[in-house]
Amino acid sequence: MSRTLIVLGVVLVVMGICWPLIGRLGLGRLPGDIVIQRPNFSFYFPLMTSLIISIVLSVVLWLINR
């Protein structure tokens, strides 16, 4: 359990450091992301981005636990 939490913490720190690079790649603006903009309201739900990040993290954690 502690090993998993440490790995998760390291992954989160690395993602936080790499976030400007990820933004340049267009990861936050994929075709499946939901964006609603009104004059006084803006809603953004990164559905496709969340799915891709979840798949990548699942594969990484699976490889670490293997």
Side-chain angles (χ1 to χ4, degrees):
M1 179 72 177
S2 62
R3 180 177 164 195
T4 304
L5 289 175
I6 291 171
V7 169
L8 184 61
V10 169
V11 168
L12 286 174
V13 168
V14 169
M15 289 291 292
I17 291 171
C18 294
W19 194 253
L21 279 172
I22 293 170
R24 288 187 202 144
L25 294 174
L27 191 58
R29 299 168 193 243
L30 294 176
D33 294 344
I34 299 170
V35 179
I36 300 173
Q37 292 181 343
R38 308 278 183 207
N40 294 327
F41 177 74
S42 179
F43 177 74
Y44 177 70
F45 185 70
L47 182 64
M48 190 58 66
T49 302
S50 299
L51 287 172
I52 289 175
I53 290 173
S54 175
I55 290 168
V56 169
L57 285 177
S58 295
V59 169
V60 167
L61 290 174
W62 178 77
L63 288 173
I64 289 171
N65 286 331
R66 206 177 119 194

